Amino acid sequence: MNISNLPKLILAASLSLGLAACGGNDTKPDEQAAAADIKVKMTPKMASVEVMHHGQPFTIVRNQDTNNTVNAAFAKTSRPCPPFCIRPYSLGGDVETVAELEVIDYIKKSGSDDSIMIVDARTPDWVAKGTLPNAVNVPFKDVVRSKGASDVSIADALETFGAEETDKGWDFSKAKTLVMFCNGMWCGQSPLAIDALRKMGYPESKLKWYRDGMQSWEILGLPTVKPAAE
């Protein structure tokens, strides 16, 4: 496969998939061939997904180089525990654990639905290495009091998440659905942030946890983006 033709192939594949999703069967032969040329698909029927990344079109497609290896930053298998301990699959309560296909669906929805936010809970130095499309960086330290978060940083974070401060405390009735992640199954940053939000009264049903985070995203050859310039 000629990698230089990949953007055209991705676009054609996305058009083909989009028409198929609408029930259409009138895709051109060259578009069907282009979709077939994407060998490393996400599922047998899904080669790529078009999303909006901070207002700009972005294609989520896996790395097509079958000799590609994982980013070195996520290749290390053994870190001291604590703090790098294996996290449980579930954080309990109504907090839902999600995997890559669900995360991609949330990313797609977040491009047009302001009630959904993809939240990178890592520190900015990690985020600078690459993050998920359309993700917003709200470091876990900004909401976890034991890590030194100030009332100002907590208030800013909650307002970013759609909560409203009232005379009686925080109103979460219009709070966004948050899909939170960090570096992976050994990373405690997003679990700490989620736990802090729960204690503040954030609705558990609006908290989604991408447990496997960036390590799994990288292992699967999914694309990352640099954080938006402020």
Side-chain angles (χ1 to χ4, degrees):
M1 177 180 178
N2 187 344
I3 299 299
S4 65
N5 290 329
L6 186 56
K8 295 180 181 178
L9 296 175
I10 292 169
L11 177 59
S14 300
L15 290 170
S16 175
L17 288 166
L19 289 170
C22 295
N25 294 312
D26 56 351
T27 54
K28 297 178 181 179
D30 57 338
E31 291 175 353
Q32 294 172 346
D37 281 338
I38 297 181
K39 301 299 184 183
V40 185
K41 300 179 181 180
M42 286 183 247
T43 73
K45 296 182 179 181
M46 184 168 69
S48 63
V49 177
E50 288 289 333
V51 302
M52 295 300 290
H53 169 60
H54 298 305
Q56 298 296 321
F58 184 86
T59 302
I60 296 179
V61 64
R62 295 175 68 190
N63 190 307
Q64 295 299 298
D65 180 3
T66 55
N67 292 315
N68 185 59
T69 56
V70 70
N71 183 336
F74 297 96
K76 191 173 182 179
T77 64
S78 304
R79 296 171 172 83
C81 169
F84 303 106
C85 303
I86 299 173
R87 305 293 160 179
Y89 172 77
S90 173
L91 294 179
D94 289 331
V95 177
E96 181 185 7
T97 302
V98 293
E100 288 73 31
L101 294 180
E102 291 83 8
V103 172
I104 291 170
D105 188 50
Y106 275 117
I107 292 173
K108 185 174 180 64
K109 290 176 179 177
S110 70
S112 59
D113 186 346
D114 290 339
S115 71
I116 298 172
M117 180 176 286
I118 314 301
V119 181
D120 191 333
R122 298 176 298 163
T123 52
D125 57 325
W126 271 103
V127 178
K129 299 177 182 180
T131 186
L132 302 191
N134 218 31
V136 176
N137 182 214
V138 181
F140 78 106
K141 293 182 178 180
D142 287 354
V143 295
V144 181
R145 291 188 184 279
S146 63
K147 295 295 181 180
S150 67
D151 289 339
V152 173
S153 70
I154 293 173
D156 286 346
L158 292 178
E159 289 177 356
T160 298
F161 298 154
E164 298 179 354
E165 191 170 14
T166 70
D167 295 338
K168 298 181 180 180
W170 285 95
D171 177 4
F172 295 100
S173 60
K174 297 180 181 179
K176 301 176 186 291
T177 294
L178 308 180
V179 182
M180 305 194 80
F181 67 95
C182 50
N183 272 330
M185 60 290 293
W186 45 267
C187 180
Q189 296 177 26
S190 54
L192 284 170
I194 289 172
D195 186 55
L197 290 171
R198 295 164 86 173
K199 290 177 179 177
M200 294 178 209
Y202 209 98
E204 290 186 344
S205 61
K206 293 185 176 182
L207 294 171
K208 313 298 178 181
W209 182 39
Y210 177 26
R211 174 188 181 267
D212 294 345
M214 292 303 302
Q215 186 159 29
S216 181
W217 189 268
E218 292 271 6
I219 287 172
L220 290 174
L222 290 162
T224 62
V225 296
K226 295 297 183 181
E230 297 181 357

